[in-house]
Amino acid sequence: MLRGVSAFFLMFDILCTLMHNLCFNIMSNKNAVENVENLLYTKSMALVELKDVSKIYQMDKIQVKAVNSASFEINEGDFCAISGPSGSGKSTLLNIIGLIDMPSGGSVVLNGIDVYKDIDLTKTKTIPLSIDSKLTDLRRSLLGFIFQTFNLIPVLNVYENVEIPLHLGDSPAMSKMSPKERSEWIDFLIETVGLSGWKHHKPSELSGGQRQRVAIARALVTKCPIILADEPTANLDSKNGDQILELMQKLNKELKTTFIFSTHDAKIVSMANHVIKIHDGCIDNA
């Protein structure tokens, strides 16, 4: 009888020990997962932060509010679509991020830099000379642009069109590269967008899809962390449009470059990992 009781308590003790170890391991693994998630969250850096940004256009005696108190963040590595119908304010938002249009209020932070700090935007109608050079430097070092109409220089070939931003001043990444390394980088981009065989061709000798590929390579050439694309497939047929989107998504993943689109194209929205919806100048937070 005593032996049976002892055996029972021994088994009970062993079972309690096992349950304690199991619970400890579960909690340890949970803490480890939370630590990893916290680490990943910490490393997910907001490249773009808009806080209560507004844009008002004066049309004769009428004020048109194109953007109304927009606030959002876009993180490093995002493939982001600013989506809305025509006239919703999406292109205005893209121009504000791209430092082309100055907001009428709020703050714009790019890569941790408060662009319009200490400037009263409600009383400032044009870009002050005091920050004009600052905006130029920020565009050069942080931003690349892909336009609907490609905007290639007709008298230059593919290689020269891709290269031309490098003649406008060094970005921090490019300043460390030798002329040979720069040439190799341009060749790499041209090869990546699938135009090695057209390197010496001029824009008039290229299709619409090929011209947009040149524009993508040109936007990437300064190694800027943010690419802005305003309806990049609007002037392309569906086949070329799909190829261009797949190429940009590939570059987003491989080069870790952040892409931000203004679009009403459902295909782009479906491919994006971050969608910002805007309607009548207001961000839809639903």
Side-chain angles (χ1 to χ4, degrees):
M1 179 71 178
L2 289 173
R3 185 181 298 173
V5 172
S6 299
F8 171 79
F9 280 109
L10 176 62
M11 291 300 297
F12 183 76
D13 185 55
I14 292 171
L15 182 61
C16 288
T17 302
L18 289 172
M19 290 299 295
H20 176 269
N21 290 340
L22 179 61
C23 290
F24 177 79
N25 287 335
I26 289 172
M27 291 305 296
S28 296
N29 288 336
K30 182 182 178 182
N31 290 337
V33 170
E34 288 177 349
N35 287 338
V36 170
E37 288 177 344
N38 289 336
L39 183 62
L40 290 174
Y41 180 79
T42 300
K43 287 187 175 181
S44 182
M45 176 184 176
L47 276 183
V48 178
E49 296 178 74
L50 267 63
K51 299 176 184 177
D52 296 320
V53 165
S54 297
K55 179 62 180 177
I56 299 171
Y57 291 103
Q58 190 72 40
M59 309 286 286
D60 295 326
K61 296 182 179 180
I62 300 173
Q63 286 189 337
V64 177
K65 186 168 278 191
V67 175
N68 187 10
S69 298
S71 297
F72 57 81
E73 294 182 359
I74 299 173
N75 289 331
E76 183 178 9
D78 275 359
F79 198 71
C80 176
I82 300 174
S83 173
S86 296
S88 61
K90 58 185 183 296
S91 292
T92 301
L93 267 182
L94 201 72
N95 287 341
I96 288 172
I97 296 170
L99 309 181
I100 296 171
D101 283 348
M102 188 175 66
S104 305
S107 68
V108 178
V109 180
L110 299 181
N111 201 31
I113 300 169
D114 189 343
V115 177
Y116 302 104
K117 186 179 180 181
D118 300 327
I119 293 176
D120 187 350
L121 293 170
T122 62
K123 298 178 180 178
T124 307
K125 304 303 179 186
T126 58
I127 295 174
L129 290 176
S130 59
I131 66 163
D132 189 48
S133 60
K134 172 186 175 182
L135 297 184
T136 300
D137 289 340
L138 288 173
R139 286 191 213 101
R140 183 184 299 142
S141 60
L142 297 179
L143 302 166
F145 297 86
I146 301 172
F147 304 97
Q148 284 186 45
T149 52
F150 321 132
N151 289 351
L152 303 180
I153 299 176
V155 297
L156 301 182
N157 63 32
V158 168
Y159 184 96
E160 292 164 340
N161 266 287
V162 174
E163 180 186 31
I164 198 150
L166 302 181
H167 294 294
L168 304 178
D170 284 338
S171 68
M174 297 304 296
S175 62
K176 301 175 183 178
M177 298 177 72
S178 68
K180 181 184 177 184
E181 289 171 330
R182 289 188 182 203
S183 180
E184 290 173 348
W185 171 241
I186 295 168
D187 284 336
F188 167 77
L189 289 175
I190 292 172
E191 180 182 355
T192 301
V193 299
L195 291 176
S196 292
W198 288 268
K199 187 164 69 171
H200 301 295
H201 287 61
K202 290 186 169 60
S204 61
E205 301 170 312
L206 304 176
S207 69
Q210 288 173 323
R211 294 180 194 183
Q212 192 63 296
R213 289 171 183 267
V214 178
I216 292 169
R218 181 184 60 190
L220 291 165
V221 75
T222 60
K223 294 192 175 183
C224 54
I226 304 167
I227 300 295
L228 305 178
D230 186 11
E231 299 282 7
T233 59
N235 291 331
L236 302 176
D237 59 50
S238 59
K239 181 181 177 181
N240 276 310
D242 288 348
Q243 290 175 349
I244 289 299
L245 289 177
E246 289 169 5
L247 172 62
M248 288 192 284
Q249 192 173 54
K250 175 175 178 281
L251 293 168
N252 166 252
K253 292 176 179 177
E254 292 182 356
L255 301 180
K256 310 301 182 187
T257 303
T258 301
F259 280 78
I260 307 172
F261 304 87
S262 70
T263 186
H264 59 263
D265 187 336
K267 181 69 179 288
I268 296 178
V269 174
S270 68
M271 294 175 70
N273 64 3
H274 183 183
V275 178
I276 297 167
K277 295 183 179 180
I278 183 170
H279 186 78
D280 291 338
C282 298
I283 299 298
D284 182 1
N285 293 315

